């Protein structure tokens, strides 16, 4: 029916039906060169928004008593976000520098408390060990702290939202 796909639809004899002329090659070149920066800005904005949503999910839905009991709120308040743009890649990191974060996320097994174990390692390898020094009493009991992954589980929770947010078509108007 409509004529699409017919050989005669694009030309009539030797004369083309559709003809284009480039009247501003410098302007076109400038528009084409601006596209990567505009798209990169859009992607960086998406990565930042998704990272902020993940950070809030960890703080609000994982560390407000759901997976880890709140004592002081320091762990929840220590959750940070960092977005990096190093040329070929744009990335985001959600992390905590709180001392208890790693042992809660991954678990911990050892004798005494994790802090006592770290203190013992420092005494053994960093500080000269005084003759006859011993760890305080009660610090030698075995401890097996099960992992309570708050960062990894939040990432799993939001994986489809993150994938959809990064896969969406650009929402910016290109020049």
């Amino acid at each position: 029916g409509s004529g699409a796909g017919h050989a005669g639809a694009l030309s009539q004899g030797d004369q083309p039906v559709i003809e284009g002329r480039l009247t501003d090659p410098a302007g076109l070149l400038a528009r084409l060169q601006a596209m990567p920066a505009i798209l990169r800005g859009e992607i960086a904005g998406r990565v930042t928004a998704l990272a902020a949503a993940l950070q809030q999910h960890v703080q609000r839905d994982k560390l407000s008593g759901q997976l880890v009991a709140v004592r002081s709120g320091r762990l929840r308040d220590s959750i940070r976000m960092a977005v990096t743009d190093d040329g070929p890649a744009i990335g985001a990191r959600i992390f905590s520098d709180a001392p208890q974060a790693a042992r809660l996320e991954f678990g911990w097994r050892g004798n005494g408390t994790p802090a006592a174990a770290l203190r013992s390692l420092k005494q053994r390898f960093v500080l000269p060990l005084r003759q006859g020094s011993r760890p305080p009493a009660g610090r030698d009991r075995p401890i097996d702290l099960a992992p309570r992954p708050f960062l990894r589980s939040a990432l799993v929770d939001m994986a489809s939202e993150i994938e959809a947010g990064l896969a969406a078509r650009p929402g910016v108007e290109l020049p």
Side-chain angles (χ1 to χ4, degrees):
S2 68
H6 295 283
L10 295 178
S11 67
Q12 293 177 345
D14 290 333
Q15 298 295 318
V17 173
I18 300 174
E19 184 176 303
R21 291 191 182 129
L22 188 57
T23 58
D24 184 12
L28 177 63
L29 181 61
R31 289 177 63 196
L32 290 174
Q33 288 173 333
M35 284 182 189
I38 292 169
L39 291 174
R40 187 166 192 81
E42 158 111 3
I43 292 168
R46 286 184 193 183
V47 168
T48 301
L50 291 166
L54 181 58
Q55 177 187 20
Q56 290 173 357
H57 177 54
V58 169
Q59 291 172 322
R60 183 186 58 238
D61 302 327
K62 299 294 180 179
L63 295 178
S64 293
Q66 297 86 338
L67 289 177
V68 179
V70 177
R71 288 187 179 171
S72 67
R74 277 185 283 196
L75 176 61
R76 182 184 53 227
D77 295 342
S78 75
I79 303 299
R80 302 277 184 263
M81 171 187 83
V83 176
T84 57
D85 183 350
D86 64 1
I90 299 170
R93 209 168 58 102
I94 308 299
F95 63 96
S96 171
D97 57 1
Q100 70 272 34
R103 65 180 178 253
L104 287 169
E105 180 75 18
F106 301 108
W108 191 86
R109 178 177 290 154
N111 287 332
T113 65
L118 181 60
R119 204 170 26 254
S120 174
L121 284 172
K122 284 182 181 177
Q123 286 176 342
R124 217 175 301 149
F125 298 107
V126 179
L127 303 172
L129 195 57
R130 289 184 292 167
Q131 194 72 317
S133 69
R134 298 191 158 233
R139 298 281 188 185
D140 288 331
R141 67 190 189 327
I143 292 183
D144 188 5
L145 180 65
R148 289 179 268 174
F150 53 92
L151 292 171
R152 293 175 292 163
S153 67
L155 185 58
V156 168
D157 292 350
M158 290 191 62
S160 60
E161 182 180 335
I162 292 169
E163 287 173 7
L166 293 175
R169 295 182 141 235
V172 296
E173 188 164 325
L174 299 175

